[in-house]
Amino acid sequence: MTKYDKTAQDQVKKEVHEFKQGKALSGKGGAKVKSQKQAVAIGLDKARKKGAKVPKKD
């Protein structure tokens, strides 16, 4: 049984890719993402909003 579905994996992959290029922004203010962990968290949050199978936040 997988922890995340394909939609969530794709969203995280996209967000981490943007982070590595220096284009990832967070929140409404558009602050630059400073760590890869932050990029993964943003990707999971976006996937959650799309209704993907993602574990709850702790």
Side-chain angles (χ1 to χ4, degrees), residues 15-33:
E15 197 65 39
V16 171
H17 181 72
E18 286 181 7
F19 164 71
K20 287 182 178 180
Q21 291 183 333
K23 296 180 182 178
L25 304 175
S26 67
K28 291 182 181 179
K32 195 171 185 179
V33 175

Side-chain angles (χ1 to χ4, degrees), residues 3-57:
K3 200 170 188 182
Y4 307 110
D5 71 357
K6 182 75 171 140
T7 306
Q9 291 174 10
D10 290 342
Q11 191 68 43
V12 170
K13 183 178 177 181
K14 179 182 173 196
E15 197 65 39
V16 171
H17 181 72
E18 286 181 7
F19 164 71
K20 287 182 178 180
Q21 291 183 333
K23 296 180 182 178
L25 304 175
S26 67
K28 291 182 181 179
K32 195 171 185 179
V33 175
K34 296 182 184 212
S35 73
Q36 190 166 354
K37 282 185 178 181
Q38 189 180 12
V40 170
I42 292 167
L44 289 174
D45 187 56
K46 287 181 180 180
R48 228 177 248 115
K49 288 179 182 174
K50 286 185 175 182
K53 179 187 171 195
V54 180
K56 293 180 184 177
K57 291 193 259 183

